[in-house]
Amino acid sequence: MEETILEKIIRDKRLEVEAAKKIRPLEVLQREIVGITSPIRKLSKTGSLHLIAEIKAKSPSSGVIRADFDPKKLAQSFGESNASAISVLTDNKYFGGSMEILKTVRESAYLPILRKDFIVDQYQIYESKAAGADIILLIERSTRDNLNELLDLALEFGLQVLIEVHNKEELDLVLKKIPVSKDILIGINNRDLATFNVDINTCLELVNQIPDDYMKVAESGVEKVSQLNEVESAGFDLVLIGAGLAKNPELLKHFSGSKYE
């Protein structure tokens, strides 16, 4: 059977992490973390829909998203607008991101920063903490064997964790494993990572199966105000929008601004 896009990305990611460990050993990261004194910024429930604005240059499905890609300018723009957090793609091969971009965003905006990548190893969580991330993404499909190990380390560091699922089976598996915590967000990704097809009904059909103990995040496929209204009416706390903001900057006007601790 031919590899899916996600399987290719995960295979490449594991090789990338092993190479990174040789260049920058874990002991180095641990020493860097000890010296961090800046506060962790955390998202909280508000009863209304808030925005995680995403910074990414390209994607396997959309190609180039922003021809004039300027992470610093985007971070400042989102920080001054109605976003409540900023998501930064750090995968380079498939999404044109990097940890340097995350650091630039950290220096350019006070909002909580989500490191969005394909995290498969504890090393990447140390890396995220050292770079100044406040939130990390864990994709159930790529962390099925070590989700709790990664989750526990992130929570130990005081980070919030966005756990991403794509269907009811994955959601059920996650809910059986994870503790109740205000630092855990559950995201429903409308994009099938095997095919990269998008169906916004995915999140609308699953949202009521997420307990209210967790913040609920709708991911991918939102490009219109009518879709924002659907997501908000369904009961989501947050919506993560990347390419949709590049196509329709007017979406920013729908939100009331930042809400974090």
Side-chain angles (χ1 to χ4, degrees), residues 26-42 115 119 121-136 149-161 183:
L26 180 59
E27 305 80 62
V28 174
L29 284 177
Q30 290 172 324
R31 288 197 295 271
E32 292 176 13
I33 289 170
V34 170
I36 293 175
T37 58
S38 58
I40 293 175
R41 301 155 183 85
K42 293 188 176 185
R115 181 193 178 182
I119 291 179
D121 191 289
Q122 285 191 342
Y123 179 89
Q124 294 166 282
I125 298 178
Y126 283 94
E127 195 178 45
S128 304
K129 175 71 174 179
D134 304 291
I135 313 164
I136 62 163
E149 171 191 309
L150 298 171
L151 176 63
D152 289 348
L153 180 60
L155 295 177
E156 181 182 325
F157 281 155
L159 302 174
Q160 289 188 307
V161 180
D183 288 332

Side-chain angles (χ1 to χ4, degrees), residues 159-176:
L159 302 174
Q160 289 188 307
V161 180
L162 170 59
I163 300 177
E164 178 179 296
V165 301
H166 305 83
N167 54 47
K168 186 179 186 303
E169 177 189 2
E170 293 177 3
L171 177 58
D172 289 344
L173 287 171
V174 163
L175 293 176
K176 289 177 182 177

Side-chain angles (χ1 to χ4, degrees), residues 8-159:
K8 291 177 182 178
I9 292 174
I10 296 303
R11 174 171 48 79
D12 289 340
K13 186 60 60 177
R14 293 188 187 282
L15 294 173
E16 179 186 308
V17 170
E18 291 308 310
K21 289 178 181 179
K22 295 176 182 177
I23 297 170
R24 193 180 179 202
L26 180 59
E27 305 80 62
V28 174
L29 284 177
Q30 290 172 324
R31 288 197 295 271
E32 292 176 13
I33 289 170
V34 170
I36 293 175
T37 58
S38 58
I40 293 175
R41 301 155 183 85
K42 293 188 176 185
L43 291 163
S44 59
K45 277 182 172 283
T46 66
S48 59
L49 185 68
H50 285 262
L51 171 67
I52 302 175
E54 187 157 272
I55 292 177
K56 64 180 174 183
K58 65 178 184 177
S59 77
S61 58
S62 302
V64 174
I65 292 171
R66 293 182 184 269
D68 56 344
F69 185 64
D70 185 334
K72 182 176 181 179
K73 185 176 179 180
L74 282 170
Q76 291 172 338
S77 173
F78 292 149
E80 293 166 359
S81 67
N82 295 333
S84 293
I86 299 175
S87 169
V88 181
L89 259 294
T90 57
D91 175 81
N92 180 260
K93 182 172 182 178
Y94 294 92
F95 291 87
S98 70
M99 294 304 292
E100 292 307 312
I101 291 175
L102 188 147
K103 292 174 184 176
T104 295
V105 172
R106 173 75 291 154
E107 294 167 358
S108 305
Y110 191 79
L111 296 176
I113 304 298
L114 163 66
R115 181 193 178 182
K116 193 174 181 188
D117 206 321
F118 298 84
I119 291 179
V120 295
D121 191 289
Q122 285 191 342
Y123 179 89
Q124 294 166 282
I125 298 178
Y126 283 94
E127 195 178 45
S128 304
K129 175 71 174 179
D134 304 291
I135 313 164
I136 62 163
L137 173 72
L138 296 179
I139 301 171
E140 191 282 331
R141 197 174 296 179
S142 57
T143 62
R144 188 162 295 177
D145 295 333
N146 62 343
L147 174 63
N148 285 96
E149 171 191 309
L150 298 171
L151 176 63
D152 289 348
L153 180 60
L155 295 177
E156 181 182 325
F157 281 155
L159 302 174

